[in-house]
Amino acid sequence: MASMSGTKLGTGPNFRHDVRRKLGPVPNFVLLALIASNGAWALNASDLPQLVALDERVVAHMQGPELVWSPEGDYLLVAGYDAAREATAAVVPLDGRPVLPVPNLASPRLVCAPYGGRLACWQRGAPSPTGASQFLLSIFDPRLGACVPIAGIPPFESAPPVVWLPDPELIGTLRQLKEHTVLVLYDPVAEKLAPLVVTVAGVGTVLRPATGVGRVIVGTVELDGTPEYYLIDTRTGVASNVPEGERAATLTDAAASAPPGTSQRSGLVAICRQDGLLVSAPGQGEPRRLLPRGNLGAHGFTAVAPPVWSPTEEHVAYTTRADDGLADVRLVTLGLEEIVCELFYPMAEKPPAPGATVWVCMDLQLDAKGRVIEPKWNTLKAQLEVTSSPLEAPNGLLVRARSVGLGEEVLKRLTGIADPPAEMEDDRNLRFGPAGTTPQTVLRSFTLPARSGLLAWSQGVSTGQVLSVRVTRRALFLIGAPAGD
């Protein structure tokens, strides 16, 4: 169930009431899962200065893990080998449920369904009468935790590639018959083998979806070692030569020219290197460091493979090398961080107007007559934008301004720390997850005192002082959702 704490959102009535008014009465856990599945927020380069990692957890530990997001973005599929070199795979739900291992797995070759969250995989069957290994094409349903062999399909002598095509749905794989390869097609909606049977020459080595509806590419190797590629229409059974563009993608396995770690949605690029996890916008300067931040991400960052974005961009998964030679797969929940400073100006002074730029610094540059010219830029701590009109306060006026600069560790430069002390109570806090598991933090708001001596300078007006810094970090799937006062 959902776990909420904090002084305002902790009881959650306003938050739940506003959402229930739209969705109807639902349990807390279902409520948050529905919000998470909305995926309405779209990142762009302008969000980069506020992008943060809210939560990070290890979700798998294996050798050579391959990371694949389900098309609907509701789970991460991780497949590889364990320490004994046995195939292993795990489904990582994003709704807070525990990681689900795929039972009796015989191969790391798995494929996600285009809809509904299921996946096709290979399980070990009973040995043949000659004692040879046999493999069963099976369907795993993460919602039920069950992996069931597909009825009516005889065992295979190996675990060849598998595809799951949409519109109409078909599961396809390859069966070897001496010097020929048969494309086997199964209709998961009708729950029976498709009547179409296509046979091509050679030993099947490649099977992947092609451009266009209901088409696949089958790659084989002839007896003399010559590779051949066939474009097969699963509706008609017609096999033809593969167009040059499709064949090049098959040979290079590089249908996309974007750099590794690129989000297909926004074009932002995630990079894992020894100094941390970073995200950049191509052609827009230095990347933003997401991890480590305080105690979050306090581990080695030797990358095993490029990070992968979820389809909704609400999460990033990446792998780092572990001490035992295997790899840790890490799942990061992304959010936006708003830093708002409270600025004080004496009553007789003129504070900046809404929209004005404020530079926070430790010292000012003076002219020969002692008048302020500008900040001493080597003491600069943050760039702010005024968001409120002056508010009356004892002996002066208060102005609120939010951080808009591109620099890293703005909070640490303003307060001296990257995160509040563990014992400090948050202004707001929202976490969720099933009972018995570590809840995920999806919203956190806290206020810290500013470092002593911080000055707030703005062109043409008085110089103020920074009193406090309020930070609000919200998961991307909460952006736009009511979050309480």
Side-chain angles (χ1 to χ4, degrees):
M1 62 182 293
S3 172
M4 302 186 184
S5 62
T7 58
K8 294 185 179 180
L9 193 61
T11 54
N14 295 333
F15 178 70
R16 292 196 297 271
H17 172 74
D18 289 343
V19 178
R20 282 197 173 103
R21 185 171 55 189
K22 300 176 182 178
L23 301 178
V26 292
N28 287 345
F29 178 77
V30 177
L31 169 67
L32 290 174
L34 288 173
I35 295 173
S37 66
N38 185 29
W41 182 260
L43 282 175
N44 56 58
S46 65
D47 296 315
L48 198 56
Q50 286 78 45
L51 191 64
V52 293
L54 291 183
D55 183 85
E56 183 198 46
R57 55 192 174 114
V58 176
V59 295
H61 181 71
M62 62 183 67
Q63 185 176 24
E66 181 179 354
L67 313 183
V68 178
W69 288 98
S70 64
E72 296 173 329
D74 52 349
Y75 67 80
L76 172 69
L77 174 62
V78 185
Y81 297 91
D82 60 20
R85 290 294 300 169
E86 295 290 338
T88 183
V91 171
V92 184
L94 300 185
D95 58 9
R97 287 177 295 158
V99 175
L100 303 171
V102 181
N104 191 31
L105 195 66
S107 168
R109 282 176 163 166
L110 304 92
V111 63
C112 299
Y115 333 99
R118 296 183 297 170
L119 58 91
C121 62
W122 294 103
Q123 287 187 296
R124 295 191 181 279
S128 70
T130 63
S133 298
Q134 296 195 113
F135 301 85
L136 305 176
L137 186 59
S138 306
I139 293 179
F140 178 66
D141 191 333
R143 295 165 298 185
L144 304 176
C147 192
V148 179
I150 299 176
I153 299 182
F156 288 69
E157 295 180 355
S158 62
V162 184
V163 296
W164 196 322
L165 302 177
D167 194 30
E169 281 194 65
L170 286 174
I171 299 174
T173 189
L174 304 177
R175 185 185 293 277
Q176 196 60 44
L177 295 178
K178 297 183 179 180
E179 69 272 14
H180 292 86
T181 296
V182 178
L183 175 62
V184 179
L185 297 172
Y186 174 80
D187 185 340
V189 177
E191 297 184 342
K192 63 181 182 180
L193 281 168
L196 179 68
V197 176
V198 181
T199 301
V200 294
V203 177
T205 57
V206 173
L207 175 63
R208 72 167 185 85
T211 56
V213 177
R215 303 200 303 175
V216 297
I217 288 179
V218 174
T220 66
V221 177
E222 300 283 2
L223 295 179
D224 61 0
T226 303
E228 292 290 345
Y229 296 92
Y230 302 91
L231 180 64
I232 299 176
D233 190 322
T234 61
R235 298 166 298 178
T236 64
V238 174
S240 58
N241 294 328
V242 178
E244 188 61 33
E246 291 272 12
R247 182 173 180 178
T250 302
L251 292 172
T252 61
D253 196 27
S257 59
T262 299
S263 168
Q264 296 183 1
R265 196 173 187 188
S266 67
L268 296 178
V269 180
I271 309 163
C272 181
R273 60 192 194 194
Q274 289 190 343
D275 57 338
L277 178 68
L278 305 94
V279 174
S280 65
Q284 296 199 14
E286 291 296 316
R288 177 173 175 82
R289 189 184 316 278
L290 301 186
L291 295 172
R293 194 199 76 229
N295 292 326
L296 188 65
H299 54 75
F301 281 87
T302 302
V304 175
V308 291
W309 295 78
S310 68
T312 60
E313 294 188 320
E314 294 163 1
H315 299 82
V316 167
Y318 70 104
T319 57
T320 58
R321 193 168 305 282
D323 293 337
D324 59 2
L326 302 183
D328 288 326
V329 179
R330 301 176 183 273
L331 180 64
V332 178
T333 302
L334 299 177
L336 296 183
E337 176 183 71
E338 183 181 55
I339 298 177
V340 177
C341 296
E342 193 171 57
L343 312 178
F344 175 79
Y345 295 84
M347 189 65 71
E349 302 294 337
K350 179 183 178 182
T357 297
V358 176
W359 301 99
V360 178
C361 59
M362 296 297 294
D363 202 0
L364 301 169
Q365 184 70 42
L366 307 179
D367 63 14
K369 295 183 179 181
R371 294 173 297 194
V372 177
I373 302 175
E374 61 184 11
K376 288 187 177 179
W377 297 108
N378 61 345
T379 71
L380 187 67
K381 301 302 178 184
Q383 178 187 354
L384 312 178
E385 180 184 10
V386 177
T387 59
S388 75
S389 300
L391 306 171
E392 290 189 7
N395 303 316
L397 298 171
L398 295 178
V399 169
R400 294 193 181 101
R402 65 185 182 93
S403 172
V404 294
L406 297 174
E408 293 182 2
E409 299 185 331
V410 172
L411 180 60
K412 188 172 183 179
R413 293 200 301 270
L414 291 173
T415 66
I417 56 176
D419 278 307
E423 66 275 7
M424 192 187 89
E425 185 175 358
D426 293 337
D427 299 331
R428 291 182 292 169
N429 190 302
L430 174 60
R431 300 181 297 167
F432 77 95
T437 64
T438 302
Q440 300 180 50
T441 299
V442 297
L443 184 146
R444 188 182 187 191
S445 181
F446 53 89
T447 302
L448 296 171
R451 293 175 59 178
S452 177
L454 286 182
L455 302 174
W457 180 87
S458 190
Q459 183 73 42
V461 297
S462 304
T463 298
Q465 294 179 319
V466 183
L467 298 184
S468 63
V469 180
R470 177 165 177 160
V471 180
T472 301
R473 296 168 177 163
R474 285 199 290 173
L476 293 182
F477 62 73
L478 291 181
I479 302 297
D485 297 325

